Amino acid sequence: MPLSEKVGQQRVRILCLSLLVIALLLLLAGRLFYLQIMQGHTYAEQALKNMVRPERIPAQRGRIYDREGRLLAGSRVGFNLNLEAGHPAYRDQRRLRGAVEEVAAILGRDADVLEQRALRYRRMFEPLLIARDMQISALAPFFERLYPIQGITRSSIPVRWYPNGDLAAHVLGHVGVIEEEELEKAGDLRFRRGVFLGRSGIEFQYETMLHGTDGETSVEVDAVGRTTDLFSDLPPKPAKPGSDLYLTLDARLQRVAEDALRKAQPHGEEGSAPVRGSLVALDPWTGEVLVCASSPGFDPNDFAHGLTPAQWKALNDETHPLLNRVIQAAYPPGSTFKVVTALAGLDEGIVSGEMAFEPCRGEYRFGRRVYGCWKEEGHGRLELRGAFEQSCDVYFYQVGRAMGLERLLRFAGSLNLDALTGIDLPEEREGLIPTMDWYRRRLGTEPPAGNALNISIGQGEILLTPIQLASLFAAIVSDGVVRHPHMTLRAVGYDGTLIWDHAGQQNVVGDLGVPDSHLVVLRDLLEAAVQGRRGTGWRARVPGVCVGGKTGTSQNPHGEDHALFVGVAPMENPQIVAVAVIEESGHGGSVAAPVVQAVLEAFLLGGPEMLSEKVAAECHRIYGPGH
C-alpha cells in the first residue's frame, strides 16, 4: 500500500478517535452539567437529608388554673426512648429482628409485638417509641444498656401534669395519644403520631385552645443515625405553647367537697366501698360553677404517662370512676321537686300560705292504692310552710291530685327543667320530664291519674341531673332568671394577651315565667326547711348564717334510696347554691345535707388552703413563684 494511502487511513482513525473522545467529553460534561447545575439543588437536598434530620419540638399544653390562680394542670419534663427502625443498619430484616429482641429483653417487652410495630414504622420512616415518659433516674441505666444498639435515641417531651392528683379530675378531664384513625381524619399538621389530645372534661372541650403549635429543629446525624449536633444553617422554629385557661372553679371549695363526699357513708356506716355521688355549687347570679365534684374519682396523671391493664380495668368497674355524675347521671329528684309542685299550686291558686288539706296520718289513699308518707306516724294538719319544712308527702300528694297529671306535667315542662343546661363540659345528659304523649306512646293508653301523686313528690318517671337541679334553684333564689352554667372565666395567650374574659357575665337563657310573689314564697319555704324548728335540712345549718334548702330521698329500683340535698346561703342575699346527691345512702337530711353544709361553711366562713406544701414547692420549682 502506498505510503500516502497509509497516512490517510491513520488520519481518518485519529479523526474518528478524536471525535469519539470529544463526544465522550461532551457527554460527560453534559451529564456533569445536568447533575451539578440542573439537578444540583435536588441532590443537595438529598445529601442534606442524609446528614440532617428534622425533629419535632412538642408544644406545651396551655395551663389550667382555678378562679384564684391556683394551678390545676400544667406540664413537666419527661423522656422518651425511640428506635429508628428505618436505620440503614436494618436494611436486612434479620438485623432489625436481632435489635428488637435486645430491646425487648432490656425493657421486658414482647419481642413479636415490638417487631410488628417496628416494621410498620419502618415503612413510615418514623421512629418507633419504645419507652414513654421515663424519669431521668430510671432512664440512665436503661439508656446505658440500649445505647450500643444502632438507631436508639432519646428525647425530652412536655408531659401533662396535674399537681393535685385526683382533685377536680372530672372537670379537668384527661389526655391521651392520638389514634391512627384520628390521624387519617385530622388533616391538621399539628396532629402527628405521639401527640396527646384532650379526651374528656376541659381538656377535650377546649382542645384547640390548649393544644399549642409544635416547633421544629434540625440535627446532624452520624453514619449510624445517632444525633451528633444541631444543624445551625437551618434556624429552629420555636414551639408555641397553648393558651392558659382560668376556670370558675374554686379549688379550695372543690377539695372540701371531695373530702366531704368521701366521708359520706350510707346510713352512717363505715365501709370500704367508695362513695358514689356528686356535688355541684353555682353562683346563682352569674352561673359560674364554683364546685363540680364526682365520686369515685381518678388520677388523670395516670393517663398522661400511659395506663397499665390493671389501671384500665379499675377505671371500668361497676362504680364508673370516669363518670361525671354532676352532668352525666340523672336521678328522680325526690322531695327537692316539691319546689316545682309548690310553684304549680301557687300558679293555679290551689295552695296558699294559709290553705290546708286533709291531715297527714302517715299515708294517703287514692283509688285502690295507699301512698305512704316518709313519717309513718304522720305530720297532722299542715299548711304549705309547715308541709315544706317537714317535707310532708301527704300534703303534696293532695296538691298533685288537685292539679291533675296533665296540668302538673305541663307546668313542669314549661320550666324546661330537663333540657341541657349547655355547661361547657362534654357529654352532658338530658333529664326527663314526661308528657302525656310520652305516657301514651309508652303505655299505649292514658296514664293512671295516680301518677300525679308520684310526680308531685319527685318520684315516678321524672329524672334530673344535679346540674339541672342546681340551675333551677339558682333561678328561684336569684331573680327568676335562668342562667347558663359555665366553667371558664378567661383565656390568656402564651404571650400574655387576653383572648376573652367571661368574669361576671350573666349568660341569660330565659326565665321561669312565674310572678315574683311566688318566688318570695318559695324562698321563705327554703329557709323554713333548714332554719325551722322541725326543718328536715337542719344538718345544713352554718353558725351565724341563714341557710335555706330542701332535702330529698328518691326511690331507687336497683337498691337503697338516693339521698339529695339542695342548700342556699345566705338567704337574705344568696351567693351560692349547692346540690349533693349520694347514691344508695338513705335520707337526704341525714347523709347529703352534711356534705353541702361543709361546702357552705367553707364558702361563707373560710377554711384551710387546699395546696399542700409539697405540691406548692413543685409548682414553684417548675413555673416559679405565684403558681
Side-chain angles (χ1 to χ4, degrees), residues 240-571:
K240 296 179 181 179
S243 301
D244 294 339
L245 288 179
Y246 288 78
L247 305 186
T248 61
L249 213 66
D250 186 321
R252 182 177 60 86
L253 290 182
Q254 181 78 16
R255 174 65 74 197
V256 170
E258 293 187 10
D259 288 345
L261 280 173
R262 291 188 188 100
K263 295 174 183 176
Q265 294 296 332
H267 311 291
E269 301 170 358
E270 293 294 330
S272 58
V275 173
R276 290 175 292 167
S278 61
L279 188 146
V280 58
L282 305 176
D283 180 331
W285 299 96
T286 63
E288 293 174 4
V289 180
L290 305 174
V291 175
C292 183
S294 182
S295 178
F298 62 94
D299 189 345
N301 287 301
D302 294 337
F303 288 89
H305 54 72
L307 293 171
T308 65
Q311 288 173 322
W312 179 247
K313 183 179 179 181
L315 290 171
N316 288 274
D317 68 10
E318 66 277 1
T319 63
H320 305 294
L322 297 177
L323 182 72
N324 185 349
R325 287 170 161 82
V326 170
I327 64 170
Q328 296 173 329
Y331 310 87
S335 292
T336 62
F337 192 76
K338 289 173 182 175
V339 294
V340 176
T341 306
L343 271 178
L346 290 167
D347 194 62
E348 295 286 343
I350 292 172
V351 302
S352 68
E354 303 300 325
M355 184 179 294
F357 292 96
E358 294 179 18
C360 172
R361 297 185 176 87
E363 61 181 33
Y364 183 74
R365 185 175 297 276
F366 181 72
R368 297 181 179 180
R369 183 175 171 183
V370 175
Y371 295 80
C373 184
W374 70 268
K375 188 175 182 181
E376 294 182 2
E377 63 271 27
H379 293 96
R381 185 172 296 277
L382 297 170
E383 38 74 40
L384 177 60
R385 193 176 195 275
F388 197 91
E389 176 183 342
Q390 300 181 58
S391 197
C392 176
D393 294 329
V394 169
Y395 182 94
F396 284 92
Y397 289 149
Q398 295 176 80
V399 176
R401 179 180 180 179
M403 284 283 298
L405 181 61
E406 185 169 3
R407 282 199 297 174
L408 183 57
L409 293 177
R410 186 167 58 245
F411 180 85
S414 71
L415 303 179
N416 292 316
L417 304 180
D418 56 344
L420 296 176
T421 66
I423 187 172
D424 48 342
L425 287 174
E427 299 183 6
E428 181 187 5
R429 173 180 172 173
E430 290 184 332
L432 173 62
I433 301 292
T435 63
M436 295 298 287
D437 285 341
W438 182 90
Y439 277 115
R440 293 181 187 116
R441 288 194 302 271
R442 188 182 185 195
L443 302 176
T445 184
E446 291 294 317
N451 281 18
L453 279 66
N454 278 334
I455 295 294
S456 69
I457 63 166
Q459 295 293 166
E461 294 75 19
I462 188 170
L463 294 171
L464 294 176
T465 63
I467 189 66
Q468 289 170 332
L469 267 179
S471 183
L472 167 65
F473 276 79
I476 290 172
V477 302
S478 56
D479 51 4
V481 172
V482 180
R483 294 174 175 85
H484 170 65
H486 57 281
M487 294 295 318
T488 49
L489 278 181
R490 59 184 176 275
V492 179
Y494 73 94
D495 56 356
T497 57
L498 184 65
I499 299 175
W500 45 258
D501 190 349
H502 295 161
Q505 291 186 9
Q506 299 187 29
N507 300 309
V508 175
V509 177
D511 60 73
L512 297 178
V514 297
D516 290 342
S517 58
H518 293 354
L519 297 179
V520 170
V521 172
L522 258 293
R523 293 167 197 150
D524 178 64
L525 299 181
L526 293 174
E527 180 179 332
V530 177
Q531 304 298 142
R533 186 168 60 90
R534 298 181 178 178
T536 55
W538 66 271
R539 287 183 176 85
R541 293 174 185 169
V542 176
V545 180
C546 182
V547 176
K550 185 69 192 80
T551 55
T553 304
S554 69
Q555 295 175 359
N556 171 26
H558 307 293
E560 295 287 336
D561 294 343
H562 302 316
L564 299 91
F565 184 77
V566 183
V568 182
M571 283 307 299

